[in-house]
Short mmCIF file of all heavy atoms in Angstrom, two decimals:
data_model
loop_
_atom_site.label_atom_id
_atom_site.label_comp_id
_atom_site.label_asym_id
_atom_site.label_seq_id
_atom_site.Cartn_x
_atom_site.Cartn_y
_atom_site.Cartn_z
N PRO A 1 13.29 14.30 -7.56
CA PRO A 1 14.57 14.25 -6.92
C PRO A 1 14.69 13.15 -5.82
O PRO A 1 15.59 12.42 -5.69
CB PRO A 1 14.89 15.58 -6.34
CG PRO A 1 13.97 16.59 -7.04
CD PRO A 1 12.89 15.73 -7.57
N ASP A 2 13.64 13.11 -5.02
CA ASP A 2 13.53 12.14 -3.91
C ASP A 2 12.81 10.83 -4.31
O ASP A 2 12.74 9.96 -3.42
CB ASP A 2 12.91 12.76 -2.60
CG ASP A 2 11.51 13.16 -2.84
OD1 ASP A 2 10.94 12.98 -3.94
OD2 ASP A 2 10.86 13.64 -1.92
N GLY A 3 12.40 10.73 -5.51
CA GLY A 3 11.70 9.52 -5.85
C GLY A 3 10.21 9.45 -5.67
O GLY A 3 9.60 8.51 -6.00
N ALA A 4 9.66 10.50 -4.99
CA ALA A 4 8.31 10.53 -4.74
C ALA A 4 7.45 10.68 -6.00
O ALA A 4 7.84 11.38 -6.86
CB ALA A 4 7.97 11.73 -3.77
N VAL A 5 6.36 9.95 -6.08
CA VAL A 5 5.45 9.99 -7.19
C VAL A 5 4.10 10.20 -6.76
O VAL A 5 3.79 9.91 -5.59
CB VAL A 5 5.59 8.78 -8.12
CG1 VAL A 5 6.94 8.62 -8.80
CG2 VAL A 5 5.31 7.45 -7.31
N HIS A 6 3.20 10.67 -7.62
CA HIS A 6 1.80 10.85 -7.24
C HIS A 6 0.92 9.78 -7.82
O HIS A 6 1.03 9.44 -8.96
CB HIS A 6 1.38 12.26 -7.70
CG HIS A 6 2.17 13.34 -7.13
ND1 HIS A 6 2.07 13.73 -5.80
CD2 HIS A 6 3.17 14.08 -7.63
CE1 HIS A 6 2.89 14.73 -5.57
NE2 HIS A 6 3.57 14.95 -6.70
N PRO A 7 -0.03 9.31 -7.01
CA PRO A 7 -0.99 8.33 -7.46
C PRO A 7 -1.88 8.92 -8.54
O PRO A 7 -2.21 10.07 -8.57
CB PRO A 7 -1.78 7.92 -6.22
CG PRO A 7 -1.59 9.04 -5.35
CD PRO A 7 -0.32 9.71 -5.62
N THR A 8 -2.45 8.02 -9.40
CA THR A 8 -3.41 8.48 -10.36
C THR A 8 -4.84 8.61 -9.71
O THR A 8 -5.56 9.40 -10.25
CB THR A 8 -3.50 7.49 -11.57
OG1 THR A 8 -3.75 6.17 -11.14
CG2 THR A 8 -2.19 7.48 -12.31
N THR A 9 -5.07 7.81 -8.77
CA THR A 9 -6.37 7.85 -7.93
C THR A 9 -6.17 7.22 -6.73
O THR A 9 -5.16 6.65 -6.31
CB THR A 9 -7.54 7.23 -8.89
OG1 THR A 9 -8.77 7.53 -8.25
CG2 THR A 9 -7.32 5.79 -8.98
N GLN A 10 -7.30 7.04 -5.91
CA GLN A 10 -7.39 6.36 -4.68
C GLN A 10 -8.67 5.58 -4.70
O GLN A 10 -9.64 6.04 -5.24
CB GLN A 10 -7.35 7.26 -3.44
CG GLN A 10 -6.06 7.89 -3.08
CD GLN A 10 -6.08 8.55 -1.74
OE1 GLN A 10 -7.09 9.19 -1.39
NE2 GLN A 10 -5.03 8.42 -1.01
N ARG A 11 -8.68 4.44 -3.94
CA ARG A 11 -9.93 3.73 -3.72
C ARG A 11 -9.79 2.87 -2.53
O ARG A 11 -8.75 2.48 -2.15
CB ARG A 11 -10.35 2.94 -4.95
CG ARG A 11 -9.49 1.82 -5.27
CD ARG A 11 -10.12 0.97 -6.46
NE ARG A 11 -9.24 -0.15 -6.76
CZ ARG A 11 -8.57 -0.27 -7.90
NH1 ARG A 11 -8.73 0.63 -8.82
NH2 ARG A 11 -7.84 -1.29 -8.07
N PRO A 12 -10.95 2.46 -1.88
CA PRO A 12 -10.83 1.60 -0.67
C PRO A 12 -10.54 0.21 -1.17
O PRO A 12 -11.09 -0.32 -2.13
CB PRO A 12 -12.23 1.67 -0.07
CG PRO A 12 -13.19 2.21 -1.21
CD PRO A 12 -12.34 2.99 -2.19
N VAL A 13 -9.56 -0.44 -0.39
CA VAL A 13 -9.09 -1.82 -0.78
C VAL A 13 -9.03 -2.53 0.59
O VAL A 13 -8.64 -2.09 1.55
CB VAL A 13 -7.77 -1.74 -1.44
CG1 VAL A 13 -7.22 -3.26 -1.61
CG2 VAL A 13 -7.79 -1.08 -2.77
N LEU A 14 -9.42 -3.82 0.49
CA LEU A 14 -9.39 -4.73 1.65
C LEU A 14 -8.08 -5.51 1.68
O LEU A 14 -7.81 -6.41 0.88
CB LEU A 14 -10.59 -5.70 1.61
CG LEU A 14 -10.75 -6.57 2.87
CD1 LEU A 14 -11.02 -5.73 4.15
CD2 LEU A 14 -11.92 -7.59 2.61
N PHE A 15 -7.16 -5.19 2.67
CA PHE A 15 -5.93 -5.98 2.82
C PHE A 15 -6.02 -6.89 3.96
O PHE A 15 -5.40 -7.88 4.06
CB PHE A 15 -4.73 -4.95 3.05
CG PHE A 15 -4.30 -4.26 1.83
CD1 PHE A 15 -4.77 -3.00 1.51
CD2 PHE A 15 -3.39 -4.80 1.02
CE1 PHE A 15 -4.34 -2.34 0.42
CE2 PHE A 15 -2.91 -4.21 -0.15
CZ PHE A 15 -3.44 -2.89 -0.47
N ASP A 16 -6.85 -6.53 5.00
CA ASP A 16 -6.99 -7.31 6.19
C ASP A 16 -8.43 -7.25 6.65
O ASP A 16 -8.95 -6.15 6.90
CB ASP A 16 -6.13 -6.65 7.23
CG ASP A 16 -6.08 -7.42 8.66
OD1 ASP A 16 -7.05 -8.14 8.88
OD2 ASP A 16 -5.19 -7.20 9.42
N ILE A 17 -9.12 -8.37 6.72
CA ILE A 17 -10.53 -8.44 7.04
C ILE A 17 -10.86 -7.86 8.43
O ILE A 17 -11.83 -7.21 8.61
CB ILE A 17 -11.03 -9.90 6.99
CG1 ILE A 17 -12.55 -10.00 6.99
CG2 ILE A 17 -10.51 -10.76 8.06
CD1 ILE A 17 -13.17 -9.77 5.68
N GLU A 18 -9.91 -8.02 9.33
CA GLU A 18 -10.16 -7.44 10.78
C GLU A 18 -10.06 -5.90 10.73
O GLU A 18 -10.73 -5.28 11.53
CB GLU A 18 -9.21 -8.02 11.66
CG GLU A 18 -9.40 -9.49 11.94
CD GLU A 18 -8.45 -10.12 12.88
OE1 GLU A 18 -7.63 -9.44 13.46
OE2 GLU A 18 -8.49 -11.38 13.04
N ARG A 19 -9.22 -5.32 9.92
CA ARG A 19 -9.11 -3.83 9.78
C ARG A 19 -10.05 -3.16 8.83
O ARG A 19 -10.15 -1.97 8.83
CB ARG A 19 -7.67 -3.50 9.55
CG ARG A 19 -6.76 -3.92 10.65
CD ARG A 19 -5.35 -3.44 10.46
NE ARG A 19 -4.56 -4.02 11.52
CZ ARG A 19 -3.27 -3.66 11.73
NH1 ARG A 19 -2.68 -2.78 10.83
NH2 ARG A 19 -2.55 -4.15 12.69
N GLY A 20 -10.60 -3.99 7.92
CA GLY A 20 -11.53 -3.37 6.96
C GLY A 20 -10.79 -2.72 5.83
O GLY A 20 -9.58 -2.74 5.62
N HIS A 21 -11.62 -1.99 5.09
CA HIS A 21 -11.07 -1.31 3.80
C HIS A 21 -10.19 -0.09 4.31
O HIS A 21 -10.62 0.58 5.20
CB HIS A 21 -12.21 -0.89 2.96
CG HIS A 21 -12.87 -1.97 2.25
ND1 HIS A 21 -13.83 -2.84 2.84
CD2 HIS A 21 -12.78 -2.45 0.96
CE1 HIS A 21 -14.31 -3.69 2.07
NE2 HIS A 21 -13.66 -3.54 0.88
N VAL A 22 -9.22 0.16 3.62
CA VAL A 22 -8.39 1.21 3.75
C VAL A 22 -8.20 2.07 2.40
O VAL A 22 -8.14 1.46 1.29
CB VAL A 22 -6.99 1.02 4.35
CG1 VAL A 22 -7.09 0.43 5.75
CG2 VAL A 22 -6.25 -0.02 3.39
N MET A 23 -8.18 3.38 2.55
CA MET A 23 -7.96 4.15 1.25
C MET A 23 -6.57 3.90 0.74
O MET A 23 -5.62 3.92 1.45
CB MET A 23 -8.16 5.67 1.51
CG MET A 23 -9.57 6.09 1.71
SD MET A 23 -10.69 5.54 0.28
CE MET A 23 -10.10 6.52 -1.03
N THR A 24 -6.53 3.51 -0.55
CA THR A 24 -5.29 3.08 -1.17
C THR A 24 -4.95 3.81 -2.32
O THR A 24 -5.78 4.06 -3.29
CB THR A 24 -5.53 1.60 -1.49
OG1 THR A 24 -5.82 0.84 -0.28
CG2 THR A 24 -4.22 0.94 -2.14
N ASP A 25 -3.65 4.19 -2.49
CA ASP A 25 -3.21 4.95 -3.69
C ASP A 25 -2.99 3.96 -4.79
O ASP A 25 -2.57 2.82 -4.59
CB ASP A 25 -1.81 5.58 -3.41
CG ASP A 25 -1.87 6.74 -2.38
OD1 ASP A 25 -2.94 7.36 -2.27
OD2 ASP A 25 -0.81 7.01 -1.73
N ILE A 26 -3.49 4.40 -5.95
CA ILE A 26 -3.42 3.56 -7.18
C ILE A 26 -2.37 4.19 -8.14
O ILE A 26 -2.55 5.41 -8.44
CB ILE A 26 -4.80 3.45 -7.83
CG1 ILE A 26 -5.85 3.01 -6.85
CG2 ILE A 26 -4.74 2.46 -9.01
CD1 ILE A 26 -5.71 1.66 -6.16
N TYR A 27 -1.49 3.48 -8.67
CA TYR A 27 -0.45 3.96 -9.54
C TYR A 27 -0.44 3.33 -10.94
O TYR A 27 -0.76 2.14 -10.95
CB TYR A 27 0.92 3.84 -8.97
CG TYR A 27 1.22 4.51 -7.69
CD1 TYR A 27 0.97 3.97 -6.52
CD2 TYR A 27 1.71 5.79 -7.71
CE1 TYR A 27 1.17 4.62 -5.24
CE2 TYR A 27 1.93 6.54 -6.54
CZ TYR A 27 1.64 5.90 -5.32
OH TYR A 27 1.87 6.63 -4.17
N ASP A 28 -0.23 4.12 -11.89
CA ASP A 28 -0.05 3.59 -13.29
C ASP A 28 1.37 3.21 -13.47
O ASP A 28 2.29 4.12 -13.58
CB ASP A 28 -0.44 4.64 -14.30
CG ASP A 28 -0.25 4.25 -15.74
OD1 ASP A 28 0.23 3.15 -16.00
OD2 ASP A 28 -0.71 4.96 -16.59
N GLY A 29 1.75 1.92 -13.36
CA GLY A 29 3.11 1.49 -13.51
C GLY A 29 3.81 1.86 -14.69
O GLY A 29 5.07 1.93 -14.71
N THR A 30 3.17 2.06 -15.85
CA THR A 30 3.77 2.44 -17.05
C THR A 30 4.30 3.91 -16.99
O THR A 30 5.10 4.28 -17.85
CB THR A 30 2.76 2.35 -18.28
OG1 THR A 30 1.71 3.35 -18.08
CG2 THR A 30 2.17 1.00 -18.40
N ARG A 31 3.91 4.65 -15.98
CA ARG A 31 4.44 6.03 -15.85
C ARG A 31 5.55 6.16 -14.78
O ARG A 31 5.94 7.29 -14.51
CB ARG A 31 3.19 6.97 -15.56
CG ARG A 31 2.20 6.95 -16.57
CD ARG A 31 0.93 7.69 -16.26
NE ARG A 31 1.30 9.11 -16.08
CZ ARG A 31 0.49 10.02 -15.55
NH1 ARG A 31 -0.70 9.66 -15.07
NH2 ARG A 31 0.89 11.28 -15.42
N LEU A 32 5.94 5.05 -14.16
CA LEU A 32 6.91 5.11 -13.16
C LEU A 32 8.31 4.83 -13.64
O LEU A 32 8.55 3.90 -14.37
CB LEU A 32 6.59 4.01 -12.00
CG LEU A 32 5.23 4.13 -11.37
CD1 LEU A 32 5.02 2.99 -10.45
CD2 LEU A 32 5.15 5.53 -10.68
N SER A 33 9.24 5.74 -13.29
CA SER A 33 10.61 5.64 -13.75
C SER A 33 11.51 5.05 -12.61
O SER A 33 11.07 5.01 -11.48
CB SER A 33 11.14 7.01 -14.05
OG SER A 33 10.33 7.57 -15.02
N PRO A 34 12.65 4.60 -12.96
CA PRO A 34 13.66 4.14 -11.98
C PRO A 34 13.83 5.09 -10.88
O PRO A 34 13.96 6.36 -11.07
CB PRO A 34 14.95 3.84 -12.74
CG PRO A 34 14.47 3.44 -14.08
CD PRO A 34 13.27 4.37 -14.35
N GLY A 35 13.77 4.74 -9.63
CA GLY A 35 13.83 5.59 -8.45
C GLY A 35 12.51 6.00 -7.85
O GLY A 35 12.48 6.55 -6.80
N ALA A 36 11.42 5.75 -8.59
CA ALA A 36 10.08 6.05 -8.10
C ALA A 36 9.84 5.23 -6.91
O ALA A 36 10.10 4.11 -6.77
CB ALA A 36 9.01 5.78 -9.16
N LYS A 37 9.27 5.82 -5.87
CA LYS A 37 9.01 5.24 -4.54
C LYS A 37 7.51 5.42 -4.24
O LYS A 37 6.86 6.48 -4.33
CB LYS A 37 9.80 5.92 -3.40
CG LYS A 37 11.30 5.69 -3.57
CD LYS A 37 12.07 6.37 -2.56
CE LYS A 37 13.58 6.25 -2.83
NZ LYS A 37 14.38 7.04 -1.86
N MET A 38 6.90 4.30 -3.70
CA MET A 38 5.49 4.32 -3.29
C MET A 38 5.42 3.70 -1.90
O MET A 38 6.09 2.65 -1.60
CB MET A 38 4.64 3.46 -4.20
CG MET A 38 4.62 3.94 -5.68
SD MET A 38 5.12 2.74 -6.98
CE MET A 38 6.74 2.31 -6.55
N HIS A 39 4.53 4.17 -1.06
CA HIS A 39 4.34 3.60 0.29
C HIS A 39 2.91 2.97 0.40
O HIS A 39 1.98 3.56 -0.18
CB HIS A 39 4.50 4.73 1.39
CG HIS A 39 5.84 5.29 1.35
ND1 HIS A 39 6.91 4.66 2.01
CD2 HIS A 39 6.42 6.38 0.79
CE1 HIS A 39 8.12 5.44 1.83
NE2 HIS A 39 7.71 6.47 1.10
N GLY A 40 2.93 1.73 0.97
CA GLY A 40 1.62 1.07 1.09
C GLY A 40 0.81 1.72 2.15
O GLY A 40 1.32 2.41 2.99
N PRO A 41 -0.49 1.51 1.97
CA PRO A 41 -1.13 0.71 1.10
C PRO A 41 -1.22 1.36 -0.32
O PRO A 41 -1.43 2.54 -0.47
CB PRO A 41 -2.52 0.58 1.60
CG PRO A 41 -2.82 1.84 2.41
CD PRO A 41 -1.46 2.17 2.99
N ALA A 42 -0.89 0.54 -1.24
CA ALA A 42 -1.01 0.99 -2.70
C ALA A 42 -1.18 -0.16 -3.67
O ALA A 42 -1.02 -1.31 -3.26
CB ALA A 42 0.40 1.69 -3.07
N ILE A 43 -1.60 0.17 -4.82
CA ILE A 43 -1.67 -0.78 -5.97
C ILE A 43 -0.93 -0.20 -7.15
O ILE A 43 -1.24 0.91 -7.52
CB ILE A 43 -3.15 -1.17 -6.17
CG1 ILE A 43 -3.68 -1.91 -5.00
CG2 ILE A 43 -3.27 -1.97 -7.49
CD1 ILE A 43 -5.15 -2.35 -5.19
N VAL A 44 -0.16 -1.02 -7.78
CA VAL A 44 0.51 -0.62 -8.96
C VAL A 44 0.03 -1.45 -10.12
O VAL A 44 0.19 -2.67 -10.16
CB VAL A 44 2.04 -0.69 -8.86
CG1 VAL A 44 2.74 -0.23 -10.05
CG2 VAL A 44 2.57 0.12 -7.64
N HIS A 45 -0.57 -0.82 -11.10
CA HIS A 45 -1.01 -1.55 -12.31
C HIS A 45 0.14 -1.39 -13.37
O HIS A 45 0.53 -0.37 -13.82
CB HIS A 45 -2.31 -0.84 -12.94
CG HIS A 45 -3.47 -1.07 -12.07
ND1 HIS A 45 -4.12 -2.24 -11.79
CD2 HIS A 45 -4.16 -0.16 -11.30
CE1 HIS A 45 -5.12 -2.10 -11.05
NE2 HIS A 45 -5.21 -0.84 -10.73
N ARG A 46 0.74 -2.59 -13.75
CA ARG A 46 1.87 -2.71 -14.58
C ARG A 46 1.40 -3.41 -15.77
O ARG A 46 0.40 -4.19 -15.83
CB ARG A 46 3.03 -3.36 -13.86
CG ARG A 46 3.58 -2.63 -12.72
CD ARG A 46 4.60 -3.42 -11.98
NE ARG A 46 5.67 -3.92 -12.80
CZ ARG A 46 6.82 -3.33 -13.01
NH1 ARG A 46 7.15 -2.20 -12.37
NH2 ARG A 46 7.81 -3.91 -13.77
N LEU A 47 2.18 -3.39 -16.87
CA LEU A 47 1.86 -4.18 -18.07
C LEU A 47 1.92 -5.69 -17.80
O LEU A 47 1.13 -6.46 -18.47
CB LEU A 47 2.83 -3.80 -19.22
CG LEU A 47 2.70 -2.38 -19.77
CD1 LEU A 47 3.85 -2.13 -20.77
CD2 LEU A 47 1.37 -2.11 -20.30
N ASP A 48 2.76 -6.10 -16.91
CA ASP A 48 2.88 -7.60 -16.59
C ASP A 48 2.04 -8.08 -15.39
O ASP A 48 2.23 -9.19 -15.03
CB ASP A 48 4.41 -7.93 -16.38
CG ASP A 48 5.03 -7.06 -15.26
OD1 ASP A 48 4.38 -6.16 -14.73
OD2 ASP A 48 6.18 -7.38 -14.90
N GLY A 49 1.24 -7.18 -14.86
CA GLY A 49 0.36 -7.58 -13.78
C GLY A 49 0.06 -6.40 -12.83
O GLY A 49 0.52 -5.32 -13.00
N THR A 50 -0.70 -6.75 -11.81
CA THR A 50 -1.14 -5.74 -10.83
C THR A 50 -0.49 -6.16 -9.50
O THR A 50 -0.50 -7.35 -9.12
CB THR A 50 -2.64 -5.78 -10.65
OG1 THR A 50 -3.24 -5.41 -11.96
CG2 THR A 50 -3.05 -4.73 -9.63
N VAL A 51 0.26 -5.19 -8.91
CA VAL A 51 0.91 -5.48 -7.69
C VAL A 51 0.40 -4.71 -6.56
O VAL A 51 0.38 -3.49 -6.47
CB VAL A 51 2.47 -5.14 -7.81
CG1 VAL A 51 3.23 -5.47 -6.57
CG2 VAL A 51 3.06 -5.81 -9.08
N PRO A 52 -0.11 -5.54 -5.48
CA PRO A 52 -0.56 -4.75 -4.25
C PRO A 52 0.66 -4.58 -3.35
O PRO A 52 1.57 -5.39 -3.15
CB PRO A 52 -1.53 -5.83 -3.63
CG PRO A 52 -1.03 -7.15 -4.09
CD PRO A 52 -0.39 -6.95 -5.41
N ILE A 53 0.68 -3.30 -2.77
CA ILE A 53 1.66 -3.11 -1.78
C ILE A 53 0.92 -2.83 -0.43
O ILE A 53 0.21 -1.83 -0.27
CB ILE A 53 2.49 -1.80 -2.14
CG1 ILE A 53 3.11 -2.00 -3.55
CG2 ILE A 53 3.51 -1.44 -1.06
CD1 ILE A 53 3.79 -0.68 -4.06
N PRO A 54 0.99 -3.82 0.48
CA PRO A 54 0.22 -3.76 1.72
C PRO A 54 0.71 -2.57 2.62
O PRO A 54 1.81 -2.13 2.47
CB PRO A 54 0.48 -5.11 2.34
CG PRO A 54 1.09 -6.04 1.31
CD PRO A 54 1.75 -5.07 0.34
N PRO A 55 -0.18 -2.29 3.58
CA PRO A 55 0.32 -1.35 4.64
C PRO A 55 1.62 -1.85 5.27
O PRO A 55 1.81 -3.06 5.45
CB PRO A 55 -0.88 -1.33 5.66
CG PRO A 55 -2.03 -1.75 4.86
CD PRO A 55 -1.55 -2.72 3.88
N HIS A 56 2.50 -0.97 5.64
CA HIS A 56 3.77 -1.25 6.31
C HIS A 56 4.78 -1.80 5.24
O HIS A 56 5.72 -2.49 5.72
CB HIS A 56 3.62 -2.18 7.47
CG HIS A 56 2.61 -1.75 8.45
ND1 HIS A 56 2.76 -0.52 9.21
CD2 HIS A 56 1.34 -2.16 8.80
CE1 HIS A 56 1.70 -0.29 9.97
NE2 HIS A 56 0.88 -1.33 9.69
N TRP A 57 4.54 -1.67 4.09
CA TRP A 57 5.49 -2.02 3.05
C TRP A 57 5.76 -0.81 2.08
O TRP A 57 4.89 0.14 2.08
CB TRP A 57 4.94 -3.14 2.11
CG TRP A 57 4.97 -4.43 2.81
CD1 TRP A 57 4.15 -4.93 3.78
CD2 TRP A 57 5.87 -5.63 2.52
NE1 TRP A 57 4.47 -6.19 4.12
CE2 TRP A 57 5.47 -6.66 3.41
CE3 TRP A 57 6.90 -5.78 1.59
CZ2 TRP A 57 6.14 -7.84 3.43
CZ3 TRP A 57 7.53 -6.98 1.61
CH2 TRP A 57 7.12 -8.00 2.49
N HIS A 58 6.82 -0.80 1.37
CA HIS A 58 7.01 0.24 0.37
C HIS A 58 7.63 -0.45 -0.88
O HIS A 58 8.25 -1.45 -0.85
CB HIS A 58 7.86 1.44 0.84
CG HIS A 58 9.30 1.25 1.00
ND1 HIS A 58 9.84 0.79 2.10
CD2 HIS A 58 10.29 1.38 0.06
CE1 HIS A 58 11.19 0.72 1.91
NE2 HIS A 58 11.46 1.03 0.64
N GLY A 59 7.43 0.25 -2.03
CA GLY A 59 7.96 -0.22 -3.31
C GLY A 59 8.76 0.83 -3.92
O GLY A 59 8.64 2.06 -3.72
N GLU A 60 9.82 0.38 -4.68
CA GLU A 60 10.69 1.26 -5.47
C GLU A 60 11.01 0.62 -6.77
O GLU A 60 11.24 -0.60 -6.78
CB GLU A 60 11.94 1.52 -4.67
CG GLU A 60 12.84 2.50 -5.40
CD GLU A 60 14.03 2.96 -4.47
OE1 GLU A 60 14.06 2.61 -3.32
OE2 GLU A 60 14.91 3.66 -5.04
N ILE A 61 11.00 1.42 -7.78
CA ILE A 61 11.42 1.01 -9.10
C ILE A 61 12.88 0.98 -9.25
O ILE A 61 13.48 1.98 -9.01
CB ILE A 61 10.76 1.82 -10.20
CG1 ILE A 61 9.27 1.90 -10.09
CG2 ILE A 61 11.19 1.24 -11.66
CD1 ILE A 61 8.51 0.59 -10.28
N ASP A 62 13.54 -0.21 -9.40
CA ASP A 62 14.97 -0.29 -9.48
C ASP A 62 15.46 0.15 -10.91
O ASP A 62 14.68 0.41 -11.75
CB ASP A 62 15.54 -1.66 -9.11
CG ASP A 62 15.29 -2.76 -10.11
OD1 ASP A 62 14.88 -2.45 -11.25
OD2 ASP A 62 15.48 -3.92 -9.81
N PRO A 63 16.77 0.24 -11.12
CA PRO A 63 17.36 0.68 -12.33
C PRO A 63 16.98 -0.14 -13.54
O PRO A 63 17.03 0.33 -14.71
CB PRO A 63 18.89 0.70 -12.12
CG PRO A 63 19.08 0.78 -10.63
CD PRO A 63 17.83 -0.04 -10.02
N HIS A 64 16.44 -1.35 -13.33
CA HIS A 64 16.07 -2.23 -14.46
C HIS A 64 14.59 -2.19 -14.68
O HIS A 64 14.04 -2.94 -15.54
CB HIS A 64 16.51 -3.62 -14.14
CG HIS A 64 17.97 -3.82 -13.93
ND1 HIS A 64 18.92 -3.74 -14.88
CD2 HIS A 64 18.64 -3.96 -12.75
CE1 HIS A 64 20.13 -3.83 -14.36
NE2 HIS A 64 20.01 -3.98 -13.12
N GLY A 65 13.83 -1.36 -13.92
CA GLY A 65 12.41 -1.26 -14.09
C GLY A 65 11.58 -2.24 -13.27
O GLY A 65 10.37 -2.31 -13.43
N HIS A 66 12.21 -2.95 -12.40
CA HIS A 66 11.56 -3.93 -11.50
C HIS A 66 11.04 -3.19 -10.35
O HIS A 66 11.64 -2.30 -9.75
CB HIS A 66 12.55 -5.06 -11.03
CG HIS A 66 13.11 -5.77 -12.18
ND1 HIS A 66 14.49 -5.93 -12.27
CD2 HIS A 66 12.60 -6.51 -13.18
CE1 HIS A 66 14.74 -6.71 -13.41
NE2 HIS A 66 13.60 -7.05 -13.87
N LEU A 67 9.82 -3.59 -9.87
CA LEU A 67 9.32 -3.10 -8.64
C LEU A 67 9.66 -4.01 -7.47
O LEU A 67 9.41 -5.19 -7.35
CB LEU A 67 7.73 -3.13 -8.75
CG LEU A 67 6.99 -2.72 -7.55
CD1 LEU A 67 7.38 -1.30 -7.05
CD2 LEU A 67 5.44 -2.71 -7.84
N VAL A 68 10.51 -3.32 -6.55
CA VAL A 68 11.00 -4.07 -5.41
C VAL A 68 10.30 -3.68 -4.16
O VAL A 68 10.22 -2.43 -3.89
CB VAL A 68 12.60 -3.76 -5.30
CG1 VAL A 68 13.23 -4.44 -4.04
CG2 VAL A 68 13.35 -4.16 -6.53
N LEU A 69 9.77 -4.67 -3.46
CA LEU A 69 9.02 -4.35 -2.24
C LEU A 69 9.88 -4.71 -1.02
O LEU A 69 10.58 -5.65 -1.00
CB LEU A 69 7.71 -5.22 -2.16
CG LEU A 69 6.80 -5.09 -3.34
CD1 LEU A 69 5.61 -5.95 -3.20
CD2 LEU A 69 6.33 -3.62 -3.55
N THR A 70 9.62 -3.86 -0.01
CA THR A 70 10.39 -3.94 1.25
C THR A 70 9.42 -3.73 2.40
O THR A 70 8.74 -2.73 2.36
CB THR A 70 11.58 -3.03 1.34
OG1 THR A 70 12.40 -3.10 0.18
CG2 THR A 70 12.44 -3.24 2.58
N ARG A 71 9.46 -4.59 3.35
CA ARG A 71 8.67 -4.36 4.58
C ARG A 71 9.25 -3.32 5.44
O ARG A 71 10.50 -3.21 5.69
CB ARG A 71 8.57 -5.63 5.36
CG ARG A 71 7.53 -5.61 6.51
CD ARG A 71 7.45 -6.97 7.24
NE ARG A 71 6.63 -6.87 8.33
CZ ARG A 71 5.23 -7.12 8.26
NH1 ARG A 71 4.78 -7.50 7.16
NH2 ARG A 71 4.57 -7.03 9.33
N THR A 72 8.36 -2.35 5.85
CA THR A 72 8.85 -1.15 6.68
C THR A 72 8.50 -1.31 8.15
O THR A 72 8.88 -0.52 9.03
CB THR A 72 8.35 0.05 6.16
OG1 THR A 72 6.93 0.09 6.12
CG2 THR A 72 8.90 0.38 4.73
N GLY A 73 7.67 -2.21 8.51
CA GLY A 73 7.21 -2.23 10.00
C GLY A 73 6.55 -3.59 10.36
O GLY A 73 6.27 -4.44 9.54
#
């Protein structure tokens, strides 16, 4: 209902050398429907590529199946 989805796994990922590795949610993009929302840090594996979502960003699958990223802070 609210667009929240669950990651398939987590792993440490380096987004910023000064901050070091952070635990990052990993999503299977083939299982995400329009309205699905993910908060960074995250990685979305899609058929057309792999999309990193850095900390302070979030992603949402739009009605056309596109992953739209927006900075949150």
Side-chain angles (χ1 to χ4, degrees):
D2 63 358
V5 293
H6 299 287
T8 54
T9 190
Q10 286 189 322
R11 69 173 178 247
V13 174
L14 184 65
F15 286 95
D16 180 342
I17 194 84
E18 293 178 7
R19 295 186 183 186
H21 290 81
V22 293
M23 285 307 292
T24 301
D25 291 336
I26 310 298
Y27 294 91
D28 178 353
T30 64
R31 298 174 66 192
L32 300 176
S33 300
K37 297 177 183 177
M38 298 127 298
H39 297 280
I43 291 180
V44 181
H45 293 292
R46 297 173 51 97
L47 294 176
D48 57 353
T50 299
V51 181
I53 304 175
H56 309 294
W57 286 73
H58 75 269
E60 182 172 352
I61 305 296
D62 75 8
H64 303 287
H66 301 121
L67 176 55
V68 178
L69 301 182
T70 306
R71 187 175 179 91
T72 58

